[in-house]
Structure formats: C-alpha cells, structure tokens
Amino acid sequence: MFKSIYLSILGAIFITSCTSHKDSIALTDLKVEHMNAPLGLDTKAPRFSWKIDANGGTIGQNGYHISVGTDSMEVAKGKGIYWREQRNSDNTLLIYDGKPLQPFTKYYWGVQVSSDDNQESGVSVSSFETGMMDVSNWEGRWITDVEDMDLKPAPYFRKEFKPQKEVIRARAYITAAGLFELTLNGQKVGDHWLDPIYTRFDRRNLYVSHDVTSFFQEDKVAIGVLLGNGWYNHQSTAVWNFHQAGWRNRPRFLMNIRVWYTDGTSEILATDKSWKTKLSPVVFNSIYTAEHYDARLELEGWDQSGYDDAGWNSALEVKAPSGKITAEVMPHITGEKMKFAKMEKRNDRYYIFDLGRNIAGVTELRIKGEKGTRIKVTHSEQLDSLGNLDLSNIIVHYRPKDTLDPFQTDIYTLKGGEDEIFRPRFNYKGFQYVAVESDRPINMELENISAYFMHSDVESIGKIHTSNETINKIWEATNASYLSNLFGYPTDCPQREKNGWTGDAHINIETGLYNFDAIMVYEKWMTDHRDEQQENGVLPSIIPTWGGWGYDWGNGPDWTSTVAIIPWQLYQFYGDDRALDDMYEPMKNYVDHITSISYEGGLTDWGLGDWVPVKSVTPKEFTSSIYYYVDAAILAKAARHFGKEKDYQEYSQLAENIKNAINTKYLDIEKGIYGSGFQTELSAPLYWGIVPDSLIQKVADNLALEVKKTNHIDVGLLGTKTLLGALSQNGYANLAFTVASQETYPSWGWWVKNGATTLYENWDIDATSDLSRNHIMFGAISAWFYKGIGGILPDENAPGFKNFILKPNFVDGLDHFEAEFESRFGLIVSKWERRGNQVEYNCTVPPNSTALLYLKGKDIKGSNQGMTIETDGQEFKIDLLPGSYTFYIEE
C-alpha cells in the first residue's frame, strides 16, 4: 500500500532544467513517413511528426497548427492550400487529411505549436515529394538484354538524352527485378547500394527515386544502367533452392526520367526497345556468394555522351515481374569505409588481412599488376590453427555444382597499367579476414585494401555505457550484429544464409528499436509478410521467400509471431498504429489458423522450440503454446484499440483459454514449477504473463534457485528473451546481472573474452555446427540493458513514450550505468552512480511527455521541492514532468 509524502521533507533540491523558460520554443526533427524530407512517396495519407526543443524549459504542447501546400512562402505563413488544421491537442503525430495529393509534386508543410506554459513557436517548414502514387502512372516498358537466366555476365544499358530547354527539375524513378546501378554522364547516382530492396518479386517490386536535376544542366545526358542478379536470378545453389524460384529470370528494369522545364512544360524519358545493351565486365555476380570482374572487358566511356554504341544490341521489352510497383521509403543500404588492422605477407602471391572486427560488407582493392593477372579475394570469419582462412563454419549450406563460384570469393582479372580499383556492386559478405591470392606476383600494403561495413542506414538512437567493460563490449557487439543483419529486412547472418528468419527478428525487435530508428524497415517487412501469407493464414519461416521454402518447416507461432509482436512493438515505441492496423487482418487470420490446429483447449506443438539451447531442452509444445497466447493477447489488445468490441471479447477469451490450457498441463501449483523447472520453462511463463498472479513470486523464486545452480544461462533462443527480464521484473535483478555479465562458458561475455566483436550463433565456440560468428539471434540482452538496468519502459496506456516508466535497478557489480534513448518525443536518460551506500540517480524526461519513476531504497533525497511521491516503505513512486532530475538513494 503506497502512501503520499513530500520530497521537501527529505532533503535538498536538485533539478536542472525545469525552472526557466525562454520566450519561444523551437521544433525539431520534422519528418514525413518517419523520414527527413523524403523523395518519391506513394502514400495518399502520409504521417507528419515533430519534436519540441524545450531549451531547458518545462514544455508540454497544448495546440498545433499545420498546413500543407506547394508554395513554401504561403506555408511559412500557415496558409497551405492542400491542408490546414488547427487543434488544441498535444499530438505530434498526424495523418494527412487534406485534398488528394498529386504525383510528382513537391509539397511543403509547416507546423506551429503552443505550449502549456503560454509559449508559442514560430512556423517550422519542411518538405516532401510524391512519386508515382499509382502503377498506372508509369510510362514505357520493362527491358532486359536476353531471356536467358543462366547467362553469367551482367548487362549494361545506355541511352542519350538531349534536353530541349532549360531544365528546372529532373527526377529518375527506377525499379528492377534484381539490382541496379544508375549512372548519369559517367557518375554514379546516389550514395546507396543494392537497390532496390529485396521483395517477393512476383508479388511486388520497389522503385527508388533520385533528384537528378544537376545532371540535366548539360547539353547532352548519357544514362547508364548496370543490372545485377540479386535474389531475382539466384545462380548459386544452396539448400533453400532459390535457384528454383518461380519468378527467376534474367534481371530487368523499368525507368522513367521526368524533366520539368522553366517554361512549365515537361518531358518523360522511359525505357523501351530503343535502349542499347551490351554485356559488361561483371562476368558473374551472386548476392549469396561473390562477384567476378574482368577489367580487360571494360568499355571506356560507355555511360558518357558521344560514345559509339553502334555495335550494341537493342534492348528487349519484357513482361513486368509483378503487377505492383511501390516506393522504397526507408533508409537505404550504405557502406562505411574501414581500414584493415593487420597484414601478413606469405609471399608475393598470397596476403592475409585482418580487419580487427567482424562485419557485413565488401572489400575494395587498389592494385597494380600485369594484364591478365587473376586475383582471388576470399572472405572468412575465422582462421584455422595454421592461420589460414577457414570457411567451414559458414559454407555448410552451400551446394555448388562446380568450382567456378567459390564461396565468399571475389575474382578480379587485371587489365594492366595504372592502379585499378575493384569493389563488388551486387554482393555482400560476412567477414573479418581476407586472403588475396594472385596467379602472378603483386605488391600489396595495408593501404591497398579497405572494407565497407554495409547495412540499412538507420539512425542510431540509443546508447549504453557502464563501469563493466564486458557489458559495454556485449552492447557494441550486439549493435554490430544487428546492423550486419539489416538489409531492408532483418536477417539471421550475413554470410551463410542472408535469410529473413522470423524468430530471430521478433526476439530482437526491442533491441532494434531501443538502439536504432528502424520503423520504416520493419513496416516494409510487414508488407513482405502480407505478400507471403497464404489464404489459410500460414506464414513461412523466412520472409521474403520464393514460395517453396519455409512454409512446411521452421514456421509456427514461436517463429512467425512476427505477424503480431513486431507491429505491436512498433506501436509501443512510436505511438504509431499504422503497421498494427495494416497487420490486423493478417494477424487475425494467423491466430485463427493456429486455433484450427490446436488441441486440449489451447495447445499447439507447431514450431521449432527453444533453438540451440545450452543443455536443457524445453518442450516445443510449451513454448509454441505460449507464443500462441502472446499472439491472441496482442490481437485482443489491437481489437480494443481499434474499437472492434466483438473481436476483443472473442480473442481475450481465447487468450485466457490458452493460458488455462498451458497451466493445466504444465504448472505444478503446489511446487510453483512448470514442467521440469528448466530456465526457459520458468522464465517464459513469467515474462509473457502466463503465471497466475498468486504464484508469480513462487515461480520467480524457483527460477532464481534454478539459475543459482550455475549462475549461467541454460536456455536457447526463446529463453534469452525471457530469462533476464523474468528475473529483474520479479526481485532478482542482481542475479540477472550476474548471469548477463558472466565471462565464462556459457555466456555472452565468454564470446567477448574470446575475441568476439559480434554475437555468435552458438554458446559453444567450438561447436561443429550452427556456428556463424555474426548472428543477431541471441541479441535480446541489449534491450534488457535498457529495460532491466536502466528501467526505461514504454507504457501501454500511453504508447510511443508519451508516458513511460522509469524503474532502474541499481545492481551489485556496477559502479555506474548510463542509458540514453532518443524517443519520438526526445531524449530519455536513465543513469546512476554508486558512492558507498548511496546511489546518485539522474534521469531526463523529454518535452511533451511524462514519466512514472520507481526507486527502491531506504531513503530518498532530491529533486523538486514539494513534489508528491508515494511509498510502500520499500519502493518510492514519483510522477515526473519534462525536465532533468537528480535523486540520492540510501541503499
């Protein structure tokens, strides 16, 4: 029972940002569709959002005025003609509700807000630009060079264009089945790679928009396109049989370049059979294995104006791969250049390089040699006992038909002469070590090779730092693995598979969202889910897939609960329910399918189980039934949110039935133990809310006793999500930290102590199978740092961190801890430092949000005089307004 007291009677006042105000407030981070000034939107009702920069004041928005129009000056005055809305509201996420937006149009939008302390901002203005808006607006035809999916060399395409008048604006809209690289007048367009992002090609294709105005100031413009295979034409063979995909064909593309002249007229250049094509020096490319390039076949000036293409063939007009073409609106894939740390020269034909860390990406060589010199560049994650590259841990699923496509091995043939630069365009790999082997002598130094760390260019929004260096390295390794497995969809590993495994993704959704602004990547992936879902509700275990793999193995609620968990978490983190709305019917179909195959009142054994456990094996029926419950419970909450009362009643009852069925079969009420009492068996029902209220502490005590037998983890994939949380939520945060910070087998720290810079696939670093060295699978620990130690938690009743919970745990073994999280409202900070028997706790609540703080200790001092708190004698509960606070807690 909590009782109210006042901080003013407990001690001094320590508050840093809640006492002074400036004359005006500023708005920051203006976004449309969660992107900064996006180009090429298709959505008819885009979302607008902003943050308040409080400048040190207590700020809560109480009103806004938004306007949208095509005249920036009028919008700056609040007079946009497409949409104007003014309301007394604290909402900072709005959905467009104005006149129909037109394609190929640049819009400006402005917003002005008033605050609850009688301040008023100026009008902040940003922009967005629409793209095609509808597939019917595309001109021209899809083209390729030949209809031969087995042809190895990649094709070039070219076309010259002569602007008729002075160009004021030009845009290139390009889609491909496969991958493309676009050049204008010999220069690469854009700074991103592997466009467009992978989808189920026979269901949907993505297009990319580029502002190419600067290129069209020339008298003539040469347009060049190089096509790569990507996942569309998978010529390498592996166990997933992508080479058998029904969509598979020679890569093809469709492009519209729209040019607007100063006199108000416009012109469209579209692909058709008038384009010219010829094979390129990219003699082989595979997204899965590598790329081969023969510089002797280079065509100097092929993508510049005036080039003689008389010997080139006419392009072939072909059928569209699908009936849907939609905008790629998400952070694109980019590459961060890195230097290698070490070089070992075995002889003048063989060099080994060590990057010093594991990444996903490619290497770039700057090299000189005799014409015809053949160079093999092999990438691996590990070395063998003799110091040679060892690919045995990542090559196990590769099924080559010959020796012409060695795994993770680029092959370059030199043209001779000056320095030559080689970097793959249509591939990426997972590696730390690189071997450069040539058939003739070459000279290499460290400066002759670079690496590019590739991933979706999501913004970093989270930070963890502690007094324990192993914990810091675990957090860094988790982020490195997360980014290494984000390529427009979440993957499992960047070398052996590159597949969108659903289980890995939902286990690590909170890890992703605490650390990176990744909502648009996940929204795209939810669209992939809708493309892949069968009529009966079944989803494959990997998404995207090709229709023949993953529907009959590896799926089930413990894996494909992505359909429910990810849109729910997006709603919790962003307060944006679009994905939840889009996925409501697919979620419902999915739950209904599980119900149709369930038994004993709510059980199912459909799934994979607690994958790669340390030792103890939890029954698959147990974990799959729990995820069936999770899905039904999320569906019920979504139904309530959308006002679907009948569905809410139905699925609430279903969730209750599933819970009862699980407890009936697996719970020993007298002992407070599920099943055999394994760590996953006890932590999963605690974490997911299966345990009856009256038995929560008893089950938690039994979990603690089980863990204390070794003070180490004994779980698989599913248990890593629940173990630490179940402990820290139920009075055992110190034990959870003991487990999390272990440096002996099995533990995350064991990997770090053995040199890991990314997370592994197996707790046993000497395992003979399942040993990728860059796997995000066991990455849920990173989210626990924010939740279990920092105590930063979303509030389901005010999602998006409009209100949030601060419930830090001052765990033994740490002297200081700091968590920062840039929420949709601004920066949240939860940090503490231990000084003897006292802990100094600092926290920040961003403008326009509130927090409920829970602190445990004997006594508490600090913060705002007169602030009301509640206590039950063991825990203090304090309501916080925007600002920064300091508390002193006696332990």
Side-chain angles (χ1 to χ4, degrees):
M1 187 86 177
F2 282 88
K3 62 180 180 179
S4 296
I5 60 176
Y6 290 90
L7 279 178
S8 58
I9 68 174
L10 293 174
I13 302 163
F14 300 89
I15 186 163
T16 58
S17 69
C18 293
T19 56
S20 64
H21 308 298
K22 295 191 176 181
D23 293 335
S24 63
I25 56 176
L27 304 183
T28 64
D29 221 17
L30 274 67
K31 292 185 177 182
V32 181
E33 290 296 283
H34 300 284
M35 303 283 287
N36 293 310
L39 178 70
L41 294 185
D42 278 352
T43 179
K44 294 176 172 57
R47 294 160 287 183
F48 300 85
S49 61
W50 61 89
K51 293 176 184 175
I52 297 172
D53 182 357
N55 293 317
T58 306
I59 297 297
Q61 175 185 304
N62 66 9
Y64 67 81
H65 178 270
I66 188 171
S67 72
V68 177
T70 54
D71 187 326
S72 61
M73 298 297 290
E74 291 299 303
V75 167
K77 299 174 185 176
K79 297 181 179 180
I81 63 172
Y82 271 77
W83 184 39
R84 274 183 277 179
E85 182 173 283
Q86 184 168 356
R87 290 189 180 180
N88 295 324
S89 170
D90 61 359
N91 192 8
T92 58
L93 176 65
L94 307 179
I95 299 176
Y96 182 79
D97 189 25
K99 297 178 183 178
L101 298 174
Q102 301 304 304
F104 319 117
T105 305
K106 185 169 186 176
Y107 291 94
Y108 298 90
W109 68 285
V111 62
Q112 182 178 31
V113 306
S114 57
S115 69
D116 57 7
D117 50 358
N118 300 316
Q119 297 186 54
E120 189 173 270
S121 75
V123 178
S124 295
V125 178
S126 188
S127 66
F128 66 98
E129 189 170 308
T130 53
M132 287 289 172
M133 298 289 286
D134 192 271
V135 70
S136 63
N137 288 320
W138 284 91
E139 304 272 347
R141 298 290 300 274
W142 285 80
I143 60 172
T144 189
D145 60 339
V146 294
E147 289 280 29
D148 183 358
M149 70 177 70
D150 296 320
L151 181 62
K152 295 283 194 298
Y156 278 148
F157 297 84
R158 73 180 311 275
K159 180 82 173 179
E160 292 195 20
F161 177 78
K162 183 177 177 62
Q164 300 302 307
K165 310 166 192 175
E166 184 179 355
V167 174
I168 192 172
R169 185 163 67 107
R171 302 289 185 263
Y173 307 99
I174 179 168
T175 180
L179 299 168
F180 71 83
E181 183 173 277
L182 171 64
T183 60
L184 294 178
N185 292 335
Q187 297 181 49
K188 183 180 182 300
V189 177
D191 62 352
H192 34 95
W193 305 349
L194 300 183
D195 285 328
I197 298 298
Y198 175 31
T199 59
R200 172 75 182 260
F201 296 107
D202 56 351
R203 303 280 170 84
R204 184 168 49 95
N205 303 102
L206 299 181
Y207 75 90
V208 179
S209 301
H210 288 289
D211 180 349
V212 293
T213 306
S214 62
F215 294 98
F216 281 80
Q217 307 309 307
E218 305 290 334
D219 292 335
K220 285 185 178 181
V221 182
I223 304 140
V225 172
L226 172 65
L227 286 187
N229 287 320
W231 290 97
Y232 183 65
N233 186 31
H234 207 280
Q235 294 179 327
S236 303
T237 49
V239 296
W240 302 280
N241 296 324
F242 276 91
H243 64 288
Q244 297 178 0
W247 66 52
R248 188 184 162 200
N249 216 324
R250 183 74 168 163
R252 54 209 57 213
F253 78 107
L254 170 66
M255 180 163 64
N256 284 190
I257 296 179
R258 289 182 171 257
V259 178
W260 289 265
Y261 297 110
T262 54
D263 64 0
T265 61
S266 62
E267 191 172 358
I268 301 172
L269 174 66
T271 47
D272 57 23
K273 62 184 178 182
S274 68
W275 284 59
K276 293 299 186 71
T277 183
K278 191 175 182 66
L279 296 179
S280 76
V282 180
V283 293
F284 175 77
N285 69 99
S286 167
I287 190 70
Y288 183 63
T289 56
E291 188 165 310
H292 306 170
Y293 187 92
D294 190 340
R296 297 171 301 179
L297 303 177
E298 288 180 347
L299 304 171
E300 187 69 29
W302 74 273
D303 54 356
Q304 297 180 11
S305 60
Y307 178 81
D308 183 6
D309 59 13
W312 288 40
N313 297 320
S314 296
L316 182 65
E317 295 181 355
V318 290
K319 184 179 177 181
S322 79
K324 289 183 181 179
I325 307 175
T326 58
E328 182 175 302
V329 183
M330 72 184 82
H332 299 291
I333 296 167
T334 59
E336 174 190 354
K337 192 172 185 177
M338 295 180 169
K339 294 181 179 180
F340 276 80
K342 298 177 183 177
M343 183 190 81
E344 179 190 356
K345 181 179 179 179
R346 296 283 180 88
N347 54 57
D348 59 9
R349 301 186 184 203
Y350 195 82
Y351 300 79
I352 293 178
F353 297 87
D354 179 0
L355 185 61
R357 58 174 294 184
N358 200 331
I359 66 167
V362 294
T363 48
E364 179 179 87
L365 297 186
R366 181 183 291 272
I367 198 165
K368 181 186 291 187
E370 295 179 21
K371 182 178 181 179
T373 300
R374 195 166 183 262
I375 298 173
K376 295 170 65 176
V377 186
T378 303
H379 304 71
S380 77
E381 294 189 312
Q382 61 189 27
L383 301 176
D384 65 18
S385 59
L386 299 177
N388 298 315
L389 267 66
D390 178 8
L391 280 73
S392 62
N393 67 315
I394 56 175
I395 203 170
V396 291
H397 296 319
Y398 185 35
R399 301 291 184 269
K401 295 181 179 179
D402 52 42
T403 60
L404 301 178
D405 180 16
F407 194 65
Q408 292 214 143
T409 302
D410 298 319
I411 300 176
Y412 302 129
T413 304
L414 302 184
K415 63 182 176 183
E418 298 301 316
D419 283 356
E420 302 177 45
I421 299 175
F422 300 102
R423 186 181 74 201
R425 294 173 170 89
F426 304 126
N427 167 266
Y428 72 95
K429 308 165 189 74
F431 65 97
Q432 176 173 335
Y433 303 97
V434 174
V436 178
E437 181 181 8
S438 61
D439 60 1
R440 303 177 194 179
I442 57 172
N443 181 51
M444 290 202 72
E445 302 292 343
L446 269 176
E447 57 265 25
N448 294 120
I449 186 170
S450 302
Y452 285 84
F453 183 14
M454 293 171 60
H455 53 80
S456 292
D457 191 22
V458 289
E459 180 185 358
S460 175
I461 58 172
K463 176 186 175 183
I464 296 291
H465 185 73
T466 81
S467 56
N468 183 306
E469 193 57 30
T470 296
I471 293 294
N472 298 337
K473 289 182 177 180
I474 291 171
W475 177 73
E476 292 168 359
T478 304
N479 279 357
S481 279
Y482 180 82
L483 291 176
S484 295
N485 286 288
L486 200 68
F487 281 77
Y489 66 105
T491 69
D492 60 335
C493 57
Q495 8 66 10
R496 191 187 67 208
E497 301 191 27
K498 301 182 172 79
N499 283 322
W501 279 98
T502 48
D504 304 52
H506 77 69
I507 290 294
N508 292 289
I509 180 63
E510 291 173 296
T511 286
L513 298 182
Y514 274 114
N515 288 293
F516 300 99
D517 184 11
I519 182 173
M520 297 309 292
V521 174
Y522 286 111
E523 285 196 356
K524 176 265 179 188
W525 199 46
M526 290 299 99
T527 306
D528 293 334
H529 276 59
R530 297 194 295 276
D531 288 345
E532 296 287 5
Q533 190 173 36
Q534 295 179 334
E535 289 186 9
N536 64 358
V538 171
L539 287 159
S541 52
I542 59 172
I543 297 175
T545 187
W546 58 272
W549 204 95
Y551 286 98
D552 56 1
W553 188 86
N555 53 348
D558 52 357
W559 248 243
T560 42
S561 283
T562 45
V563 70
I565 292 173
I566 286 180
W568 181 252
Q569 289 296 339
L570 293 179
Y571 178 47
Q572 296 308 300
F573 274 76
Y574 287 86
D576 188 333
D577 64 4
R578 179 162 290 181
L580 192 64
D581 190 20
D582 289 342
M583 297 304 293
Y584 184 81
E585 288 302 324
M587 194 190 315
K588 188 175 175 180
N589 292 341
Y590 183 70
V591 170
D592 288 348
H593 174 75
I594 305 175
T595 301
S596 73
I597 61 171
S598 65
Y599 49 85
E600 295 182 24
L603 300 179
T604 178
D605 66 353
W606 182 32
L608 276 181
D610 198 20
W611 195 248
V612 192
V614 175
K615 180 182 63 177
S616 302
V617 180
T618 297
K620 178 162 59 80
E621 179 189 73
F622 181 71
T623 49
S624 288
S625 298
I626 287 177
Y627 276 97
Y628 176 27
Y629 165 79
V630 171
D631 296 342
I634 289 174
L635 180 55
K637 289 186 282 192
R640 181 174 56 187
H641 171 69
F642 292 120
K644 301 176 184 291
E645 183 61 26
K646 183 179 178 182
D647 282 358
Y648 169 64
Q649 296 294 337
E650 178 182 347
Y651 292 104
S652 294
Q653 186 59 57
L654 174 61
E656 189 66 23
N657 293 344
I658 299 167
K659 181 192 296 188
N660 291 338
I662 295 170
N663 287 331
T664 297
K665 182 163 184 177
Y666 287 97
L667 174 60
D668 185 324
I669 296 175
E670 186 174 333
K671 294 180 180 178
I673 288 179
Y674 284 82
S676 300
F678 297 148
Q679 290 182 14
T680 298
E681 288 179 309
L682 296 175
S683 65
L686 281 167
Y687 185 89
W688 292 115
I690 301 293
V691 184
D693 291 347
S694 61
L695 290 176
I696 288 176
Q697 197 56 56
K698 192 171 186 179
V699 175
D701 293 344
N702 282 323
L703 172 61
L705 289 172
E706 179 66 19
V707 172
K708 286 177 181 178
K709 291 177 181 178
T710 63
N711 284 336
H712 283 71
I713 52 171
D714 182 14
V715 296
L717 171 62
L718 306 181
T720 57
K721 176 76 173 183
T722 60
L723 177 62
L724 301 179
L727 288 170
S728 59
Q729 291 164 13
N730 293 287
Y732 290 100
N734 284 330
L735 180 58
F737 179 73
T738 297
V739 172
S741 59
Q742 287 287 359
E743 297 177 355
T744 54
Y745 171 82
S747 67
W748 294 270
W750 172 242
W751 295 335
V752 168
K753 286 298 180 180
N754 280 275
T757 59
T758 47
L759 302 186
Y760 290 178
E761 185 187 11
N762 202 312
W763 303 111
D764 183 358
I765 61 176
D766 296 317
T768 56
S769 64
D770 298 317
L771 193 56
S772 153
R773 292 180 181 264
N774 195 348
H775 239 71
I776 189 55
M777 185 164 77
F778 293 127
I781 188 173
S782 178
W784 180 78
F785 294 150
Y786 292 90
K787 297 164 61 181
I789 306 180
I792 301 174
L793 302 163
D795 179 356
E796 281 194 10
N797 296 315
F801 293 87
K802 176 63 177 170
N803 183 68
F804 57 95
I805 311 301
L806 286 172
K807 202 168 186 177
N809 285 302
F810 310 129
V811 295
D812 296 340
L814 283 183
D815 294 324
H816 65 81
F817 173 88
E818 181 176 358
E820 294 183 357
F821 168 59
E822 185 70 31
S823 74
R824 198 172 62 76
F825 291 94
L827 183 65
I828 296 171
V829 177
S830 177
K831 64 180 181 178
W832 52 266
E833 185 170 359
R834 178 173 279 111
R835 296 187 177 96
N837 292 326
Q838 187 180 75
V839 173
E840 178 185 319
Y841 177 69
N842 293 274
C843 62
T844 298
V845 180
N848 210 36
S849 64
T850 55
L852 181 57
L853 171 64
Y854 294 86
L855 293 173
K856 289 183 178 180
K858 297 176 182 177
D859 199 2
I860 178 173
K861 297 179 181 181
S863 262
N864 198 357
Q865 186 172 7
M867 178 180 292
T868 302
I869 68 171
E870 296 180 356
T871 182
D872 61 358
Q874 295 181 334
E875 187 173 54
F876 300 92
K877 185 167 71 172
I878 311 166
D879 288 308
L880 300 180
L881 296 173
S884 294
Y885 302 83
T886 300
F887 298 92
Y888 295 94
I889 302 99
E890 297 294 332
E891 292 190 291

